[in-house]
Amino acid sequence: MTVPASPFWSPAIRGLHAYVPGEQPQGEGWIKLNTNESPYPPSPRALAAIRAAADERLRLYPDPQSLALRQTVASRFGLEAAQVFVGNGSDEVLALAFMALLRHQRPVLFPDITYSFYPVYANLYGAAFEQVPLDPQFAVRVADYERPNGGILLPNPNAPTGVALPLADIRALLRAHPTSVVVIDEAYVDFGAESAAALVPEFPNLLVVQTLSKSRALAGLRVGFALGQAALIEALTVVKDSFNSYPLDRLAQAGAQAALADEAHFEHTRQQTIASREWLAAALAARGFACLPSCANFLFVAHPDHPAAGLMQALRERRILVRHFRQPRIDNHLRITIGTQAECERLVAAIDEVLA
Ligand SMILES: *Cc1c(COP(=O)(O)O)cnc(C)c1O
């Protein structure tokens, strides 16, 4: 049931269209390949740290600056804590970035096919924006961003395509737009793209955003972070402190820190995901799917003879969830999250049934 707008609502929110997250099914037995979560459990060390933090200290507010966590993130990237911002998921970090850094006279630019939260934030904060079409191969062409702008926002790899931009292109973009903030959303970078984090000391206009939701298997903990020079981080902090002093609770701060310290678990699970992605891409290609080259934990695929909406429905009937976007240019594509190898194999078996 949708509740209609009421006169009690603030005028500015009456026309808003909120982001619609992928389905979280109730009940057992689903293979969830629709929201890019990790199919593997989080680091056991993160779970132990969360349990250890769940004690009587919960009566106290958490550290509003999340300093210990920011230091852990900073040392991982060779930066200072003043160059790190943490938030309640990278969605929150991106929302604060729209408010703090991307709301100018000129429009913020982002691709026409990208994370569908970006236009939602832009509308929420009243930020002017322009969508720049991906090229016919669904890649970002940095030269297409040569137009007046009040900031540039790119996911790398892009979602839902999985296509990555080489670091040289990001460097060129930063050089070509020295007076614009360039935000690189690296939600999927650990699955095979090159991070722009190393460019932070060189470019005062660069903000890199990452999350623990995908490659660290902690979507339920809600931790994301941004890396940038102190002036950009300070803008995010001012907005955060004008909104919520404590976006990260004690459990999230403790769990995130322990997760970031568990290099072996991170490396093992991400390599498993990459291996299954390559296996699944080959299996789907052998069945006639066109499959974009993915550097993420998902594949973006289309079949010339089987429309995506019908395929999604047929898989749903077999209790396998994948994501379909009713949007121009991509409404015949499916975005399929890489599950465990066994889940990928069950998906392929289901597809064989459907195509038969
Ligand atoms: C998943 C995702 C995020 C946000 O993840 P959080 O869970 O809020 O950290 C951000 N950007 C893109 C492109 C994503 O796919």
Side-chain angles (χ1 to χ4, degrees):
M1 189 185 73
T2 30
V3 180
S6 121
F8 295 128
W9 292 21
S10 304
I13 73 147
R14 283 179 203 154
L16 288 183
H17 295 283
Y19 176 75
V20 182
E23 181 179 357
Q24 295 291 348
Q26 303 297 310
E28 298 296 302
W30 289 92
I31 296 184
K32 266 198 94 263
L33 307 178
N34 65 332
T35 51
N36 298 342
E37 290 143 324
S38 172
Y40 303 109
S43 155
R45 286 164 61 180
L47 299 181
I50 293 165
R51 284 190 198 101
D55 63 17
E56 65 85 23
R57 286 170 299 172
L58 283 176
R59 73 193 168 78
L60 300 171
Y61 283 109
D63 173 11
Q65 310 301 338
S66 298
L67 190 57
L69 174 57
R70 284 168 51 225
Q71 274 160 347
T72 300
V73 174
S75 65
R76 191 177 156 75
F77 291 97
L79 298 170
E80 303 289 320
Q83 297 169 310
V84 177
F85 179 84
V86 295
N88 190 259
S90 61
D91 285 340
E92 182 182 85
V93 177
L94 291 163
L96 295 175
F98 262 92
M99 183 75 169
L101 300 167
L102 299 175
R103 213 163 52 138
H104 298 281
Q105 205 88 47
R106 290 170 169 179
V108 54
L109 307 179
F110 47 81
D112 62 336
I113 296 164
T114 195
Y115 190 33
S116 42
F117 230 134
Y118 300 160
V120 173
Y121 289 137
N123 286 323
L124 175 63
Y125 293 119
F129 67 96
E130 249 174 57
Q131 295 180 274
V132 181
L134 297 180
D135 77 8
Q137 284 73 46
F138 290 125
V140 168
R141 248 185 330 223
V142 292
D144 295 345
Y145 289 74
E146 293 298 319
R147 51 174 101 175
N149 69 77
I152 295 172
L153 170 54
L154 292 177
N156 192 37
N158 196 10
T161 62
V163 176
L165 205 56
L167 201 53
D169 281 359
I170 291 179
R171 187 186 279 279
L173 197 68
L174 287 160
R175 285 226 176 92
H177 302 272
T179 59
S180 296
V181 173
V182 175
V183 178
I184 308 295
D185 178 356
E186 296 188 346
Y188 302 103
V189 75
D190 295 326
F191 299 106
E194 295 173 281
S195 175
L199 304 182
V200 163
E202 193 181 334
F203 291 99
N205 56 332
L206 170 63
L207 191 78
V208 175
V209 178
Q210 292 196 5
T211 176
L212 276 67
S213 294
K214 279 64 184 241
S215 59
R216 301 277 173 176
L218 284 170
L221 199 64
R222 312 304 305 128
V223 182
F225 58 86
L227 311 171
Q229 292 191 10
L232 299 190
I233 299 304
E234 181 61 16
L236 295 172
T237 307
V238 168
V239 177
K240 170 240 169 205
D241 285 336
S242 308
F243 177 72
N244 180 0
S245 306
Y246 309 105
L248 265 72
D249 60 59
R250 285 174 170 271
L251 309 187
Q253 292 185 35
Q257 241 180 289
L260 288 165
D262 194 344
E263 197 59 30
H265 181 84
F266 168 68
E267 203 47 41
H268 180 64
T269 51
R270 115 191 146 97
Q271 293 303 342
Q272 278 182 304
T273 296
I274 292 169
S276 292
R277 177 184 73 208
E278 298 312 304
W279 179 88
L280 184 60
L284 294 178
R287 286 156 179 83
F289 283 89
C291 206
L292 287 180
S294 171
C295 289
N297 67 341
F298 56 83
L299 292 172
F300 200 53
V301 305
H303 198 287
D305 311 320
H306 297 269
L311 274 177
M312 181 196 69
Q313 198 47 43
L315 290 171
R316 195 169 198 290
E317 282 156 18
R318 290 162 177 80
R319 291 180 91 74
I320 298 176
L321 294 180
V322 299
R323 194 93 193 252
H324 174 239
F325 298 92
R326 269 176 235 286
Q327 191 191 320
R329 290 187 78 186
I330 58 168
D331 59 0
N332 199 37
H333 280 74
L334 293 176
R335 192 196 67 190
I336 304 176
T337 305
I338 307 303
T340 61
Q341 183 62 27
E343 288 173 332
C344 292
E345 287 169 15
R346 280 183 58 191
L347 169 73
V348 170
I351 285 175
D352 282 339
E353 262 179 51
V354 175
L355 298 191

